[in-house]
Amino acid sequence: MCHTFPALTSDRSSRICSLLYKHGSSMASNSSGSDSSDRQRIAQQRLSVIAGHLQRPVEGNSGILAAECKAQGDKLDVSSERRTVPRRRQEIMKWNGWGYSDSKFLYNKKGQAEFTGKRYRLSGMIIPGLREWMESTFGANLQHKTPAAPILNSSAVQPPTLNEAFLKELKSTGIPFSHDAEDRVFRSHGHCLHEIFALREGKIGRVPDLVVWPNCHNDVVKIVELACKHNVCLMPYGGGTSVSSALECPPEETRSIVSLDTSQMNRILWIDEKNLTAHVEAGIVGQDLERLLNESGYCTGHEPDSMEFSSLGGWVATRASGMKKNIYGNIEDLVVHIKMVTPQGVIEKSCQGPRMSTGPDVHHFIMGSEGTLGVVTEVTMKIRPMPEYQKYGSVVFPNFEMGVACLREVARQRCAPASIRLMDNEQFKFGHALKPQVSSIFTSFLDGLKKFYITKFKGFDPNRLCVATLLFEGDREKVLQHEKQVYDIAAKFGGLAAGEDNGQRGYMLTFVIAYLRDLGMDYYVIGESFETSVPWDRVLDICRNVKARIVRECKDKGVQFPPLSTCRVTQTYDAGACVYFYFAFNYRGLSDPVHVYEQVEHAAREEILANGGSLSHHHGVGKLRKEWMRETISSVGMGMLKSVKDYVDPNNIFGNRNLL
Amino acid sequence: MLWSYRHSGTRKSWFNINTRELSEVVVIGSTASLKDEEEFTDILEERRRTTDLGYALRTFNPQPYKGAPYSSTSDLKKAVLESQYLRYIIALETGSSVEKVRQEARGILEEMSHNLQLGFIRLMAYTVNKVFKRLFRSIYVNMEGLNMLQQAIQESPVILMPNHRSYVDFLIVSFILFTYDIPIPVIAAGIPLASMKVVGEILRRSGAFFIRRAIGSDKLYWAVLSEYVRTIVRTGCAPLEFYVEGFRSRTLKSVVPKLGMMDMVLEPYFKGEVFDITLVPISISYDRVVEESLLALELLGVPKPKESTTGLFKASRVLQEDYGCMHVNFGRPLSVRQLCEGKINRSEYNLIPRDLPQRPSTEIQDCVNWVAHLIVRTQEEGSLISPWSLMACLLLQAPITTLTEEGLQWHGLTEKTLWLRKLVLDFRGRLNWPAHTPDSDVMSSTVALHHSIVHHKAGRVCLVQDGDPASQDPLSPEEGVMRTAAAVLMLVSYRNQALHVFVRPGILATAIHITKSTQKDELFSFFCFLRDVFANEFIFIPGRASQDFDEACSLLQKCGAVHMSEQEVTVLETGLEVLSFLQKLLQPFLDSYQLIFRYLCENGAHVFTEKQFLPAVQNLATKLILSGDLHTFEVLSSDTQKNVLSALRRLEAVTKLRVNNNILSIADPYFFGKYIAIDVLLMTEIMNKRAL
């Protein structure tokens, strides 16, 4: 976090910092009282982190091996102590909601929405339009609250089923572990609606029996060996941001389940400036990876929406996609080398050639394996020099059809900026509702003028218009040139440039949306997003049909208020696009809202498949979408995957039962 | 209430449609949705009170389909011509230059395209209004259906699917929709209409588009037509109206649906180009059909006059006649999405560019076929049965000599008609029996309306036969048969209007009669056999044999004709009248089929042209009628003959070959000998059993 490290702030501070978080430089130059207390807190935090490293593991006392790991790394590690994710996640993160404990939306005493904390740009701000938007979109009401269970009741957690022999040998390795109820609950879920909903109600199902925190590749090798020896079920855990039920413990699993938390394997082991690669431990989370590379003047450019918390290993295991893939590529384009520990041993390639013709690429067994084959421990990734210049932008189109046509043309000309996203009308309004209170009359006057220009002068229908958000990156001159090219294309489709602000806010939305869901859940509103990829000629149809299906299903299932059913096109490819849907509704009057939600989502997925969309573009399959795997990849395809699993992990040690 | 709470107009409208209501309708087949007290409003009543001109110039401001961007006729044509599909097909046409083929496509489109203009709608409304006021006493329309239609039109592309019993109904739907401020449909019409001077153009401008009759294997024509139809559906620029039966039913009996248009219309849904499509079955029923006598003659082989404007004017003498009432019953809108749910897997279209032609899987084809049959069944269930249809059923069961000579006792006929009325109601038919009028008055006014077919004199009812009976010119016996046949076939067509109510129990009654069995299994298998044989004659929804059987059983039980147990069906003493009525009702069909089967078996030649076949059957039938061995005239109808051939082709007992250019050669001796033998044996069995 930028504000945690005032020393770091420079002109080249990473994009995510500038986008998400309060700008560091203002913090550094500001010496108000609150800031100094901040510094104090930061200093304390750093101390405690360092203390944590010096401390012996809580249980077991042969820390030598672990220390060995660390010692080996410390030599190369660029900045080992500045890590976002502590072993005890509960210190900074919510147990039953998204993200940091100190950051959340709430309605203050005046009934105005505000975002708490200090981490984000939106932090501490009033969002005047949100309440009305929520009330009119969902029929929600501030009087009707559905508060979450305030604290985790440890007695609700089943006592762990421990494999004593495994535990005994694990202790002797010195690798830290815990069977504390909180630790286990934290690793028992991702962020699917049903998972969070259950936690809010204080309902806790099967959770891992033990959590282990390996510090390095060798630790993982040992853990996997022990697990095989004692027939223990291992479930790798990275950032915990899964939205595919991938982290759910299979209820039918009778063995002891051990959650292998990679979060402490978070070092950059080396940077190779000649080849522009970096060798990184797979537990590092996105924001740390970018920040640390930025310090050396590099970046990976891989920025999935979850990058604050999701881990490198998780990206590999789910075939992640970042919003700037147009420049940097998706994860499969970014990795050069992968090391994975499996029950059969370690799999890795012998060299780092940029491309090989050596039979089917074994990396592709690993990428997307969703923790069913082993644990990814180290990855060599491409890196790039940090871009010299970044610029946001936005374009308003008279309707969604024109917007899609424009994106298609941009893709045809292969001139997509780092990111280009098209939001539909509902989402445009949603984004609008998140505008923070403007401080000056002048800004609000300008806003009014803009609105007048677009709707009255240009004749755009406010209920049909939609907006594309853009992010350009590169050297200044090229960016400006590129910008002009894209705006020229947009103009052909009736698009009007609508300023940098709108663009930037559009991207912000993706980072705060998960926080917003928690707010909705406080007021009877539940929802989720899901995605697909689809050929260009079906983009419009799939958007229309899936949205309509959601609305119809809600109606049929007795939902009392029309749902929010909205989409955006988030990625463009040569042959198609990635489409993201948001779906939320007010569940007052429903006896089993989660079931209704799941039925509707199921129907929506059926609709996606019927319209030529894929099962997933980047969220993965997990257990949530397993039922469609066979029709997606054919029986032979299933057999191929199955035989790999049978060879690599015949005893189903990696027994999270995802994918197959 | 809560659901309509929305700013955006587009969203708001969605929630007006009641999907649950739609889903209920999917379960039909038993006329369950029928409400006895359905409100019909006479729309002519108001027309008679206001001026025609004022009516034609009324404000017309319909609410269109929500997603429909405004598209003019020329936009539509442009979209079709520039479609990737058409470009692909054009590129495939070898032999001439692309430009030439494109020119040809443009020509086809010009010939086909509608040119809907509000001004002409007004002209049409003005004229039609005048004509209808002349022809009909009243035109009854169910307002509830219209309201549902109005809603449906705003939600998804709507397909209007009326039955077609008379030329008169060609513009009736447009006329009603104009009156009630609902978007005017574009209507699929046969090309002969287009060639009528002036009138063709007026129809075109009133929304008609024209399709050639025999398209055959003209790929380019198919491509232009299907793209044209799909574009209309896809854009939802206007409701599309077409006759799923393909043409006007000459027999007033429902015709087995044609699937070509149905395919084109449903494809945008299958390919995901629209979220849903709404089908609206419309049942149009007439007390008396304007072209009744022409139809009978046509069926006997007298060619129908070519559609021409002068012909139309000549026909204007029909304006002098009284045709009673007309009922237009707008059925509940059916959601294609709901109809097809679980029946098809739309992802089969995922692997080929959607713009390219793709042969649909059998699954899809079956589904289209099923939907088409369902629509026709729904049309049947929505149509109203007039007292005259009931009388026709009964008159046809009297010996022919009674009808032509001494006549049927009026008193007996009245009594029997009232008995039949009760049976129809038991069978949940929709009856159009005037309320608040003494039954005797209803009967006599009905007969008066149909003075061209029967006359009622001195307590007896006789068949009116064409030509002057006192003429000195003696008719040959064969001519006499044809003359009687013409009159009988007219009666037959009115009977046919009621047939759909009786078919299922009728087949069961026939099965009971023939098999003499009480075993449910045995009856069911015979029921299925008959259902299969007569599938070209009556409308059976594919795959619903057991539901049909159950329906038949429950209806017969309901009217006290049989007693049902788990395994057995026993005939009750009280049910003999019903069973014998039903069995006699279907007897002409059995007789006709047997005759033709026998002809095919006994005739040495196994290859013959259609041109030989029809007169040969007619000759044989005439002989048998004269010798008193055949008691039905229906086999003389070309419609029956064609149906038998279609049935045999479907049962693979006969094949149709195309030799040279246009000679149709039917039946394969080997094939026929081998396969039909089984069926004929069964038919022979029927004959034998009956003889017992």
Side-chain angles (χ1 to χ4, degrees), chain B residues 61-68 150-151 153-155 181 183 236-237 239:
Chain B
N61 190 18
Q63 283 283 313
Y65 166 51
K66 64 169 176 193
Q150 191 152 29
Q151 289 274 299
I153 273 182
Q154 293 168 42
E155 310 305 337
D181 237 15
C237 54

Side-chain angles (χ1 to χ4, degrees), chain B residues 69-124:
Chain B
Y70 171 76
S71 71
S72 67
T73 316
S74 60
D75 287 346
L76 176 63
K77 282 193 271 193
K78 197 164 156 237
V80 172
L81 276 178
E82 287 174 3
S83 68
Q84 185 150 10
Y85 174 73
L86 214 58
R87 274 186 291 170
Y88 175 84
I89 296 290
I90 287 172
L92 278 187
E93 291 275 314
T94 48
S96 48
S97 73
V98 168
E99 196 34 56
K100 234 176 158 182
V101 182
R102 191 170 298 145
Q103 206 55 47
E104 198 185 326
R106 197 168 293 139
I108 294 172
L109 194 58
E110 284 305 322
E111 173 196 277
M112 180 184 305
S113 188
H114 78 83
N115 187 13
L116 188 60
Q117 290 172 3
L118 186 56
F120 279 84
I121 290 293
R122 294 188 188 283
L123 175 64
M124 175 279 293

Side-chain angles (χ1 to χ4, degrees), chain B residues 292-294 296 388 452-453 485-495:
Chain B
E292 55 182 16
S293 57
L294 283 178
W388 174 238
S452 57
I453 304 178
V488 170
L489 287 186
M490 267 160 60
L491 211 48
V492 162
S493 45
Y494 287 104
R495 175 207 64 190

Side-chain angles (χ1 to χ4, degrees), chain A residues 49-309:
Chain A
V49 171
I50 296 165
H53 281 297
L54 296 172
Q55 221 172 17
R56 289 278 171 268
V58 192
E59 317 207 14
N61 53 4
S62 63
I64 304 152
L65 297 168
E68 207 175 79
C69 264
K70 275 295 173 204
Q72 174 200 16
D74 276 339
K75 277 182 246 164
L76 290 159
D77 190 4
V78 191
S79 50
S80 58
E81 72 271 36
R82 302 179 212 142
R83 291 299 186 270
T84 304
V85 188
R87 220 187 281 165
R88 291 181 56 79
R89 300 176 79 85
Q90 48 271 48
E91 283 166 10
I92 60 160
M93 284 159 87
K94 295 192 191 88
W95 69 279
N96 59 359
W98 178 261
Y100 300 107
S101 310
D102 56 18
S103 302
K104 65 174 187 178
F105 284 96
L106 52 75
Y107 285 109
N108 62 23
K109 285 186 184 123
K110 289 187 202 152
Q112 290 172 310
E114 90 181 55
F115 192 53
T116 64
K118 293 183 172 162
R119 295 172 186 270
Y120 297 89
R121 296 199 119 208
L122 215 54
S123 296
M125 290 200 189
I126 301 286
I127 301 117
L130 188 56
R131 177 177 171 178
E132 204 216 310
W133 180 82
M134 257 181 79
E135 287 174 343
S136 66
T137 306
F138 298 109
N141 188 322
L142 295 199
Q143 313 310 317
H144 302 291
K145 276 205 79 171
T146 41
I151 47 160
L152 172 54
N153 178 8
S154 300
S155 64
V157 183
Q158 291 262 318
T161 315
L162 295 173
N163 182 320
E164 292 301 338
F166 172 80
L167 205 58
K168 193 164 164 251
E169 286 203 51
L170 182 66
K171 269 182 194 161
S172 72
T173 63
I175 298 167
F177 63 85
S178 158
H179 48 71
D180 167 65
E182 264 192 13
D183 286 333
R184 289 160 55 217
V185 169
F186 258 79
R187 281 144 192 97
S188 67
H189 66 87
H191 284 272
C192 285
L193 175 81
H194 66 269
E195 294 173 315
I196 300 300
F197 197 91
L199 289 176
R200 287 173 59 95
E201 301 214 307
K203 287 181 192 150
I204 292 157
R206 177 89 155 97
V207 304
D209 302 299
L210 194 73
V211 182
V212 289
W213 287 274
N215 268 315
C216 63
H217 172 78
N218 286 337
D219 283 359
V220 175
V221 172
K222 281 175 209 143
I223 294 168
V224 173
E225 271 169 15
L226 290 181
C228 291
K229 183 171 167 193
H230 299 288
N231 194 23
V232 160
C233 172
L234 284 181
M235 285 180 59
Y237 179 91
T241 57
S242 147
V243 281
S244 59
S245 302
L247 291 168
E248 240 171 56
C249 294
E252 66 270 34
E253 181 60 69
T254 52
R255 296 172 295 183
S256 178
I257 299 179
V258 174
S259 177
L260 192 154
D261 183 332
T262 60
S263 65
Q264 304 311 304
M265 298 167 47
N266 52 20
R267 291 160 302 171
I268 295 177
L269 298 175
W270 45 254
I271 291 172
D272 176 348
E273 297 193 283
K274 285 192 178 145
N275 292 311
L276 286 179
T277 54
H279 191 62
V280 189
E281 288 185 315
I284 195 166
V285 295
Q287 57 167 316
D288 287 354
L289 177 62
E290 282 315 278
R291 180 167 43 74
L292 295 174
L293 286 174
N294 288 173
E295 285 170 19
S296 314
Y298 295 104
C299 67
T300 63
H302 184 69
E303 296 182 9
D305 289 354
S306 61
M307 71 172 292
E308 284 178 274
F309 306 108

Side-chain angles (χ1 to χ4, degrees), chain B residues 315-355:
Chain B
S316 59
R317 69 180 170 84
V318 301
L319 292 182
Q320 316 306 323
E321 288 271 330
D322 173 9
Y323 293 92
C325 302
M326 176 180 186
H327 280 81
V328 183
N329 189 2
F330 287 85
R332 275 172 188 277
L334 299 170
S335 149
V336 170
R337 178 172 275 270
Q338 281 172 0
L339 291 177
C340 297
E341 202 176 299
K343 288 201 152 55
I344 55 158
N345 184 356
R346 287 180 289 153
S347 58
E348 76 175 65
Y349 292 99
N350 285 354
L351 294 181
I352 294 182
R354 259 187 332 196
D355 295 328

Side-chain angles (χ1 to χ4, degrees), chain B residues 226-243:
Chain B
S226 57
E227 188 59 26
Y228 184 73
V229 169
R230 284 190 304 241
T231 309
I232 292 171
V233 176
R234 209 185 286 141
T235 58
C237 54
L240 178 72
E241 178 181 338
F242 81 98
Y243 302 111

Side-chain angles (χ1 to χ4, degrees), chain B residues 416-632:
Chain B
K416 203 77 175 135
T417 307
L418 295 177
W419 170 84
L420 192 52
R421 178 178 70 171
K422 190 182 162 298
L423 189 65
V424 169
L425 292 176
D426 272 351
F427 285 179
R428 287 173 286 185
R430 278 169 196 259
L431 202 57
N432 159 30
W433 194 284
H436 319 299
T437 315
D439 291 336
S440 58
D441 290 3
V442 173
M443 293 283 293
S444 42
S445 72
T446 301
V447 169
L449 184 65
H450 293 277
H451 60 87
S452 57
I453 304 178
V454 287
H455 62 91
H456 171 205
K457 209 163 63 185
R460 287 183 176 271
V461 188
C462 293
L463 199 61
V464 175
Q465 297 191 58
D466 219 14
D468 189 0
S471 163
Q472 295 308 304
D473 247 349
L475 291 166
S476 71
E478 286 79 12
E479 281 171 322
V481 168
M482 288 311 250
R483 199 176 70 130
T484 313
V488 170
L489 287 186
M490 267 160 60
L491 211 48
V492 162
S493 45
Y494 287 104
R495 175 207 64 190
N496 286 346
Q497 287 185 318
L499 215 47
H500 61 93
V501 178
F502 300 117
V503 164
R504 273 145 279 265
I507 288 187
L508 181 56
T510 307
I512 293 172
H513 178 76
I514 294 172
T515 60
K516 301 276 185 280
S517 169
T518 56
Q519 292 304 306
K520 227 174 173 179
D521 295 353
E522 204 178 325
L523 288 174
F524 178 62
S525 74
F526 205 80
F527 180 91
C528 291
F529 168 70
L530 289 175
R531 189 180 176 273
D532 204 24
V533 170
F534 290 124
N536 291 71
E537 205 67 51
F538 311 116
I539 304 300
F540 299 111
I541 297 174
R544 294 184 61 128
S546 60
Q547 286 99 318
D548 281 348
F549 182 70
D550 291 345
E551 186 192 325
C553 290
S554 85
L555 291 180
L556 285 188
Q557 191 173 23
K558 190 174 162 198
C559 68
V562 295
H563 175 264
M564 312 275 305
S565 68
E566 199 64 3
Q567 308 286 329
E568 296 203 348
V569 180
T570 30
V571 175
L572 299 175
E573 198 64 27
T574 48
L576 290 175
E577 194 180 7
V578 172
L579 290 176
S580 119
F581 165 78
L582 290 172
Q583 180 260 322
K584 278 188 192 157
L585 190 69
L586 296 190
Q587 196 58 49
F589 295 96
L590 274 102
D591 288 345
S592 304
Y593 275 55
Q594 279 173 40
L595 177 85
I596 297 175
F597 280 23
R598 201 193 304 164
Y599 168 79
L600 288 172
C601 290
E602 288 166 5
N603 190 341
H606 287 298
V607 180
F608 39 84
T609 66
E610 213 161 322
K611 273 188 189 137
Q612 293 169 338
F613 172 72
L614 298 180
V617 171
Q618 222 164 47
N619 280 339
L620 176 64
T622 313
K623 258 184 230 150
L624 290 172
I625 289 170
L626 284 173
S627 69
D629 291 323
L630 183 67
H631 301 288
T632 177

